[in-house]
């Protein structure tokens, strides 16, 4: 038994080189995912292997592995003979994103323990969003809103849930790029973020969950309408 186990461990040395390549590809994927989530890589952007590889100092193989990871996460798409592009979402994508958000975010609020809750991250995101609005920085408001929902999900204390929502919210940012009037989309939700925060501060989980469910439904309608207009289909049609 011992000899067999030692042989199995010894064989792992042959795969040592894979660790460096895989971890580097994952780090590159993290960088590109963050750029998408921050709105710095817009839908439809072509990702040049030469430009990215030179900027990041990584090989084509590493970059292609990072592309593969992000394609699996539905953030990128490979088009034959054209290259790799940041994905453009449609209304069906938006509906699925919000369906997932509703299942996860509402469940997080519903499953909170006894108050008080650790709300510093939520409070910071609300303040950042309000500050960005005063500066007429609606991209900043959008980013603060993403941070609000990440902080909300983080209340679950689950690394798996955090990872799931990191990808979902990065996809959402792709849809937000399609909104032609970001102020009209984001401004009403500034007050609603604060309402949810205030409800949680008061320990009113049920109220916070109801506010959040209506919030997500309204937001889905607005974002889906923006996608429908971009695709040339009649706005107001729910996916």
């Amino acid at each position: 038994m011992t000899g067999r186990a030692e042989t199995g461990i010894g064989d792992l040395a042959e795969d040592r080189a894979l660790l460096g390549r895989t971890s580097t590809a994952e780090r590159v994927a993290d960088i590109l995912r963050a750029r998408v989530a921050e709105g710095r890589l817009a839908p439809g952007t072509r990702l040049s292997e030469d430009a990215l590889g030179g900027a990041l100092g990584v090989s084509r193989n590493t970059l292609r592995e990072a592309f593969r990871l992000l394609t699996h996460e539905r953030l990128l798409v490979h088009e034959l003979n054209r290259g790799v592009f940041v994905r453009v979402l449609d209304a069906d994508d938006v509906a699925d994103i919000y369906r997932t958000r509703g299942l996860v975010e509402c469940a997080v609020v519903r499953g909170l323990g006894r108050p008080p809750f650790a709300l510093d991250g939520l409070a910071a995101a609300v303040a950042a969003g309000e500050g960005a609005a005063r500066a007429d920085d609606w991209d900043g408001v959008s980013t603060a809103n993403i941070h609000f929902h990440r902080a909300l999900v983080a209340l679950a204390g689950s690394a798996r849930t955090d990872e799931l929502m990191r990808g979902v919210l990065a996809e959402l940012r792709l849809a937000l790029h399609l909104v032609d009037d970001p102020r009209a989309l984001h401004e009403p939700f500034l007050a609603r973020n604060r309402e949810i925060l205030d409800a949680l501060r008061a320990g009113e989980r049920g109220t916070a969950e109801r506010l959040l469910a209506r919030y997500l439904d309204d937001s889905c309608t607005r974002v889906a309408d923006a996608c429908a207009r971009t695709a040339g289909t009649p706005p107001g049609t729910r996916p």
Side-chain angles (χ1 to χ4, degrees), residues 9 11 23 28 42 47 69 88 98 101 105 112 121 125 160 165 176 184 195 221 229-230:
I9 292 172
D11 291 345
S23 61
V28 171
L47 301 183
L69 293 170
V88 179
Y98 275 90
R101 292 185 66 191
E105 294 187 42
L112 292 174
R160 292 175 179 83
M165 290 305 295
L176 296 181
E195 287 178 347
T221 298
R229 285 193 296 272
T230 300

Side-chain angles (χ1 to χ4, degrees), residues 104-105 108-109 112 118 121-122 147-159 161-163 165 169:
V104 175
E105 294 187 42
V108 167
V109 173
L112 292 174
L122 283 176
H147 291 167
F148 176 86
H149 290 280
R150 289 187 65 176
L152 182 70
V153 171
L155 294 175
S158 166
T161 306
D162 289 344
E163 183 177 357
M165 290 305 295
L169 292 173

Side-chain angles (χ1 to χ4, degrees), residues 121-149:
L122 283 176
V126 168
E130 292 171 345
R134 287 192 295 271
D136 201 31
D137 175 11
W138 297 100
D139 284 339
V141 172
S142 179
T143 297
N145 190 55
I146 294 290
H147 291 167
F148 176 86
H149 290 280

Side-chain angles (χ1 to χ4, degrees), residues 16-152:
R16 182 182 300 168
L18 298 176
L19 292 175
R21 289 200 295 269
T22 301
S23 61
T24 302
E26 289 174 347
R27 289 195 296 272
V28 171
D30 285 343
I31 291 169
L32 297 179
R33 188 189 299 106
R35 294 267 172 151
V36 170
E38 293 166 3
R40 298 169 70 183
L41 285 175
T45 301
R46 183 178 181 276
L47 301 183
S48 164
E49 288 186 2
D50 290 338
L52 284 173
L56 295 173
V58 297
S59 69
R60 285 180 179 269
N61 286 341
T62 295
L63 197 57
R64 287 170 182 172
E65 175 62 12
F67 287 168
R68 187 191 67 79
L69 293 170
L70 295 178
T71 299
H72 181 71
E73 295 178 19
R74 298 174 296 278
L75 296 179
L76 305 182
V77 61
H78 179 266
E79 297 185 10
L80 190 62
N81 298 325
R82 293 194 64 219
V84 176
F85 296 81
V86 180
R87 190 159 171 253
V88 179
L89 303 190
D90 59 25
D92 287 339
D93 294 316
V94 173
D96 197 31
I97 289 168
Y98 275 90
R99 187 179 302 114
T100 303
R101 292 185 66 191
L103 289 170
V104 175
E105 294 187 42
C106 290
V108 167
V109 173
R110 191 183 317 124
L112 292 174
R114 296 175 61 85
F117 310 121
L119 302 176
D120 288 350
L122 283 176
V126 168
E130 292 171 345
R134 287 192 295 271
D136 201 31
D137 175 11
W138 297 100
D139 284 339
V141 172
S142 179
T143 297
N145 190 55
I146 294 290
H147 291 167
F148 176 86
H149 290 280
R150 289 187 65 176
L152 182 70

Side-chain angles (χ1 to χ4, degrees), residues 8-9 17 21 36 84 95 101 103 108 132 144-145 164-166 172 178 183 187 198 222 227 231 237:
I9 292 172
R21 289 200 295 269
V36 170
V84 176
R101 292 185 66 191
L103 289 170
V108 167
N145 190 55
L164 168 67
M165 290 305 295
R166 180 179 64 171
L172 174 65
L178 302 177
R183 177 172 186 166
E187 192 167 34
D198 290 343
R222 289 168 178 257
C227 289
T237 303

Side-chain angles (χ1 to χ4, degrees), residues 106 109-117 119 152 194-212:
C106 290
V109 173
R110 191 183 317 124
L112 292 174
R114 296 175 61 85
F117 310 121
L119 302 176
L152 182 70
R194 183 164 286 284
E195 287 178 347
I196 293 169
L197 173 62
D198 290 343
L200 291 173
R201 277 177 170 160
E204 299 173 357
R205 289 178 302 167
T207 299
E209 184 184 352
R210 287 191 295 274
L211 290 170
L212 178 61

